[in-house]
Amino acid sequence: MMNSEGELKVSFGYQCNGHRDGSREVPDGYNIVPGIKIQKTSSFSCLSGAALSANATLANTNICNGLIGAEILPSLDSPNSFRRVPSSPTLSRLDMLSSSLQSSLSNLSCSPSSPSDLPEYDTCVSKLMIAPCRSEGILNGMEVQVAGGAAGEDRVQAVCSEEHGLLFCAIYDGFNGRDAADFLAGTLYESVMFYSNLFEWESKIDATRAPDDSEFGGHLQYIFEDERKDSAANSFANASLHPEREISSSFQHAVLDSLQRALNQAENDFLHMVEQEMEDRPDLVSVGSCVLLVLLHGNDLYTLNLGDSRAVLATYDEVNDLSGHKRLKAIQLTESHTVENEDERTRLLSEHPDDPMPILAGKVKGKLKVTRAFGVGYLKKKNLNDALMGILRVRNLISPPYVSTRPSLNVHRITKSDHFVIVASDGLFDFFTNEETVDLVGCYIVSNPSGDPAKFLLEHLVERAAECAVSGFSLEELMNVPAGRRRKYHDDVTVIVIILGTNKRASKASTCV
């Protein structure tokens, strides 16, 4: 269905290693990736990802003096495949940025941080001279595969290390430009790995060992206070070497804390950079991105989100359907941070008692429908709002910030009933409910065990968008509408489907091309 105008911008797939002595054939459309035999400790069997653009945007921005577009993102992007990355890079991407921007930012990891956002020792990590360096991330293992790419203003990343039983997926749904999404794609993954290693370093110099809590099951929504939480006694790597151990809740809190600290650092770095460059590029003050991170480590599925992207878990219900088969139900693992969410609306109104109109025309200050987001500095700082002119400037910015960078965090312990997870930007849910997406993917997997469920969802989305078009487009006509004009019919859409469990659909690590 996809022609030259409407082809998928990003499409990739991954199959976990199985027993290498198996005789099963690799499904059509997959290429074998040479690898080494390792002990599989992950709790997923495969994933697929796809993205379709609707917005017209520049191919690469000049953010961070062009280094992200010229040096960093090309090394991460592989729109049609997973590929192995060097196991021990001599210079990490964040170190590259830091050395490149010393004249303007002094050090990317040492930008000014609000005490309420980060602990005191986070304001300049480079002062920790004996702390782990950024290139010591645990995903620098024997077999690490990465994939990623851009579709319109969306950015998608996936990093897999079966050696450590770890999968990292991220969707950055940019708006008002893709600078913020590019910045996240170029820096956030490395920051997450750095802060996870920092916890390990801190635990080694801590004289006391955090006690294990009782067995953790189900899922936990974790809301952080400003003060520092207890660090865990275990590291990612140590936990991966002993998958049979029950992960303590203190370790789970440490993982979630690492995710939040990395996001806070990225926000501070980005806004500091915007302040340095806004005289030449005032549009940067309005650029932002929703953030959705999914980290699968062993049997624990961690999520962090800002904005309206979603992670939806498909799990088997205890109640069978009329035919006696187990029925899949949808569980949304993330919160939707929009003004339509009554909790978010109430929070926003309560945080701005002196502002009679924090919500105007169904948007935050009449500008943005999401209540939490990365970037979008003009709704967070008065000096950034003042950089805009005319109708672009927000009038009566009485009590900023109006958009929060406080993420929702969640950890879910995977059970035998859990089947797959759909991770997607909000463009998918403009046309489908959570239940519809789960039903579509569930039926597709049964009838097409070697197929690509992410592509399948996008194909159905395009069909529905054509049906909903006022002008009554056929599917082919809609796909011929160029990016930019097509935004009238659907948004940029990015989808990742992660199949849980150990039932292999192929016996070797593979890439879908």
Side-chain angles (χ1 to χ4, degrees), residues 74-86:
S75 68
L76 290 171
D77 288 349
S78 50
N80 296 310
S81 68
F82 268 82
R83 58 185 174 78
R84 191 178 305 168
V85 296

Side-chain angles (χ1 to χ4, degrees), residues 302-357:
Y302 302 89
T303 58
L304 174 151
N305 79 292
L306 287 174
D308 52 5
S309 298
R310 299 185 198 175
V312 178
L313 173 70
T315 187
Y316 287 108
D317 201 341
E318 295 180 357
V319 180
N320 295 338
D321 59 21
L322 296 178
S323 61
H325 297 100
K326 288 186 176 181
R327 182 176 58 191
L328 281 173
K329 65 177 180 180
I331 299 176
Q332 186 170 324
L333 299 176
T334 54
E335 297 181 16
S336 294
H337 302 141
T338 66
V339 292
E340 288 83 9
N341 182 331
E342 189 60 35
D343 291 339
E344 285 295 288
R345 189 181 186 92
T346 300
R347 177 189 63 80
L348 188 61
L349 293 174
S350 65
E351 290 179 355
H352 302 279
D354 298 328
D355 190 336
M357 291 189 298

Side-chain angles (χ1 to χ4, degrees), residues 36-321:
I36 57 177
K37 188 171 182 179
I38 58 176
Q39 179 66 35
K40 174 175 161 40
T41 60
S42 58
S43 56
F44 80 100
S45 59
C46 59
L47 70 87
S48 68
L52 182 66
S53 64
N55 288 298
T57 185
L58 296 176
N60 278 305
T61 62
N62 62 355
I63 196 169
C64 292
N65 297 335
L67 186 62
I68 285 184
E71 301 290 339
I72 295 177
L73 291 179
S75 68
L76 290 171
D77 288 349
S78 50
N80 296 310
S81 68
F82 268 82
R83 58 185 174 78
R84 191 178 305 168
V85 296
S87 60
S88 299
T90 57
L91 189 63
S92 77
R93 298 177 185 92
L94 284 184
D95 289 330
M96 289 171 59
L97 280 174
S98 297
S99 59
S100 170
L101 302 180
Q102 285 181 0
S103 59
S104 59
L105 300 186
S106 178
N107 186 307
L108 188 62
S109 295
C110 299
S111 57
S113 303
S114 168
S116 62
D117 290 334
L118 290 172
E120 181 179 353
Y121 56 80
D122 280 347
T123 59
C124 190
V125 177
S126 65
K127 291 181 180 178
L128 301 175
M129 300 304 293
I130 58 174
C133 71
R134 297 184 182 93
S135 59
E136 293 175 352
I138 66 157
L139 290 188
N140 294 325
M142 291 183 295
E143 188 156 303
V144 182
Q145 305 284 344
V146 301
E153 294 174 331
D154 278 13
R155 268 278 174 189
V156 59
Q157 286 181 316
V159 185
C160 178
S161 173
E162 290 187 65
E163 175 190 1
H164 294 294
L166 205 153
L167 173 67
F168 174 92
C169 295
I171 293 176
Y172 310 120
D173 184 359
F175 51 85
N176 298 333
R178 56 175 281 190
D179 298 77
D182 277 351
F183 186 88
L184 288 165
T187 64
L188 189 55
Y189 160 70
E190 290 262 353
S191 292
V192 169
M193 292 299 104
F194 171 70
Y195 277 107
S196 68
N197 288 336
L198 187 60
F199 265 112
E200 179 183 2
W201 172 77
E202 290 169 346
S203 68
K204 288 180 180 179
I205 64 173
D206 195 343
T208 61
R209 186 177 181 86
D212 284 348
D213 293 341
S214 57
E215 182 174 341
F216 188 87
H219 68 271
L220 165 74
Q221 286 193 339
Y222 192 75
I223 305 299
F224 288 98
E225 302 299 331
D226 288 335
E227 67 269 13
R228 175 187 172 192
K229 299 297 179 180
D230 292 335
S231 62
N234 298 313
S235 66
F236 276 137
N238 288 338
S240 301
L241 293 175
H242 302 282
E244 71 281 358
R245 292 182 183 175
E246 193 69 28
I247 303 298
S248 68
S249 63
S250 61
F251 175 78
Q252 292 166 332
H253 288 236
V255 174
L256 293 172
D257 203 4
S258 296
L259 295 177
Q260 179 169 11
R261 292 166 73 184
L263 179 65
N264 286 341
Q265 188 66 59
E267 168 82 356
N268 291 322
D269 291 340
F270 181 74
L271 291 184
H272 184 62
M273 182 210 65
V274 169
E275 292 188 66
Q276 302 297 311
E277 299 188 12
M278 65 182 182
E279 184 175 348
D280 296 327
R281 287 198 58 194
D283 61 296
L284 282 177
V285 303
S286 64
V287 173
S289 179
C290 297
V291 180
L292 177 54
L293 303 183
V294 173
L295 181 65
L296 181 58
H297 175 243
N299 290 320
D300 288 330
L301 181 69
Y302 302 89
T303 58
L304 174 151
N305 79 292
L306 287 174
D308 52 5
S309 298
R310 299 185 198 175
V312 178
L313 173 70
T315 187
Y316 287 108
D317 201 341
E318 295 180 357
V319 180
N320 295 338
D321 59 21

Side-chain angles (χ1 to χ4, degrees), residues 31 201 314 421 429 437:
N31 289 340
W201 172 77
V421 180
F429 304 101
T437 59

